[in-house]
Amino acid sequence: MAPSPTPPELADAVRDDRSLRRFLHGLPGVDQVGLEQRAAGLATRSIKKTAKRWAIDTAIRMVDLTTLEGADTEGKVRTLCAKARHPDPEHPDTPQVAAVCVYSDLVETAVQALDGTDIRVASVATAFPSGRSALAVKLADVEFAVAAGAHEIDMVIDRGAFLAGRYGQVFDEIQAVRAACGDAHLKVILETGELATYDNVRRACWLALLAGGDFIKTSTGKVSPAATLPVTHLMLQAVRDWRDATGQLRGVKPAGGIRTTKDAIRYLVVVHEVAGPEWLTPELFRFGASSLLNDLLMQRRTQLDGHYSGPDYVAVD
């Protein structure tokens, strides 16, 4: 995908630093109580038993199966890729996941292990997870991952610059990374747990969208709190409003702390109710997760076999 220019409808918003600040601070303030109550209410929604199998399979297709540890090895990544290809070998109709997400030096290993599949390889970049490095270093990180075959880049914004109000700097960085991605998709990690307020989260969402991010992502998974329903609700509002304003579809990826099928289904309900059913696809919604897939597979077996299968019956990453 080529770098996304700012839509003409919003060109004035990014004309200069002052215009960008005026636009971002002109966004409607977030009603914290209302947002949290709405998210809590949606979390209590139940789905029919007949729809649960569909929800589980949909969630599996949305998983970015992730390993981002200092002790990661080529062998671990190959094992993870084998699981991505065949999540439950005893049930070959189990869907494949959307992507495998690794550090940039392991992209080539993942690309080779996933050859012949539609599973994408995502790489974190731009001095993940802190985002604290020179722009030239961040761009070199992106270019290295793309050259190794990454289909998607998960970048982190400079939260220090954002919180200091240097919005133009963050905007320029995202645009530069977007250009360095070439045909690769760009997911912009906001690290919402460090942004302090919902108003800041809303501003960061729009900043990332204005700069050309294909996805906005909650977290690195290294900071608590990571993904939450209220924050994801807010991000889904942003991409819905972006669609209404520009006609363009952008995605959302909650990451960190989503571990159970019950959690995943709650998120799917929020997607449906806030953004709309159009977003119930891996092209527009992902789960960044490492352990979620195991629980989805166990619950899927329960649906198929009529009895609960414990974790010993599912391959652990």
Side-chain angles (χ1 to χ4, degrees):
M1 174 178 290
S4 304
T6 303
E9 301 90 336
L10 295 168
D12 285 347
V14 297
R15 185 172 59 252
D16 52 37
D17 284 353
R18 182 176 296 179
S19 298
L20 184 58
R21 172 178 293 276
R22 184 165 55 246
F23 177 84
L24 294 177
H25 282 268
L27 293 169
V30 179
D31 175 359
Q32 177 177 346
V33 173
L35 174 67
E36 293 177 349
Q37 287 181 344
R38 172 67 170 157
L42 290 174
T44 65
R45 294 271 185 94
S46 60
I47 64 172
K48 295 179 180 178
K49 186 175 181 180
T50 53
K52 188 172 183 180
R53 167 74 183 279
W54 172 88
I56 290 171
D57 282 2
T58 298
I60 291 172
R61 292 187 181 96
M62 293 173 167
V63 168
D64 281 5
L65 194 56
T66 302
T67 183
L68 296 170
E69 301 299 332
D72 286 345
T73 64
E74 291 183 2
K76 181 178 181 181
V77 169
R78 281 192 287 267
T79 298
L80 198 68
C81 291
K83 184 170 184 176
R85 295 177 71 127
H86 305 289
D88 188 348
E90 293 186 23
H91 293 278
D93 63 333
T94 304
Q96 294 180 333
V97 302
V100 170
C101 185
V102 296
Y103 279 114
S104 57
D105 62 315
L106 292 166
V107 165
E108 188 173 359
T109 300
V111 169
Q112 291 171 353
L114 294 171
D115 185 44
T117 75
D118 293 328
I119 302 168
R120 301 173 73 82
V121 175
S123 175
V124 294
T126 65
F128 178 95
S130 69
R132 310 297 305 187
S133 189
L135 178 58
V137 174
K138 294 179 180 181
L139 295 179
D141 195 14
V142 174
E143 290 162 359
F144 176 79
V146 171
H151 308 107
E152 301 175 356
I153 296 295
D154 289 30
M155 73 164 287
V156 287
I157 67 167
D158 183 335
R159 283 86 74 191
F162 178 86
L163 291 170
R166 299 198 302 272
Y167 302 133
Q169 177 184 332
V170 180
F171 177 86
D172 290 344
E173 237 179 50
I174 297 171
Q175 279 208 320
V177 172
R178 170 66 269 179
C181 284
D183 290 333
H185 276 64
L186 175 62
K187 304 193 201 88
V188 182
I189 306 172
L190 309 179
E191 199 66 286
T192 54
E194 292 184 341
L195 297 186
T197 69
Y198 289 130
D199 284 341
N200 276 340
V201 172
R202 173 168 281 170
R203 290 173 191 139
C205 289
W206 277 88
L207 181 59
L209 295 170
L210 285 164
D214 298 298
F215 266 73
I216 46 177
K217 177 178 172 182
T218 59
S219 329
T220 62
K222 307 296 185 182
V223 170
S224 182
T228 67
L229 282 173
V231 161
T232 304
H233 190 294
L234 196 54
M235 294 169 75
L236 288 162
Q237 285 181 351
V239 295
R240 179 200 65 201
D241 293 346
W242 178 269
R243 189 271 315 275
D244 292 346
T246 70
Q248 298 177 356
L249 294 171
R250 304 284 178 89
V252 172
K253 177 179 173 181
I258 305 171
R259 298 185 176 89
T260 69
T261 300
K262 184 178 290 187
D263 289 338
I265 290 175
R266 286 171 175 160
Y267 278 87
L268 294 182
V269 170
V270 172
V271 172
H272 185 277
E273 295 300 316
V274 177
E278 193 170 7
W279 267 265
L280 289 171
T281 168
E283 283 69 42
L284 292 173
F285 193 80
R286 301 279 185 86
F287 293 107
S290 54
S291 59
L292 171 62
L293 181 59
N294 287 338
D295 194 69
L296 288 167
L297 295 176
M298 285 189 289
Q299 296 300 328
R300 189 176 193 275
R301 285 192 175 197
T302 300
Q303 293 284 308
L304 292 171
D305 302 337
H307 58 83
Y308 179 75
S309 296
D312 291 343
Y313 294 90
V314 176
V316 178
D317 302 339

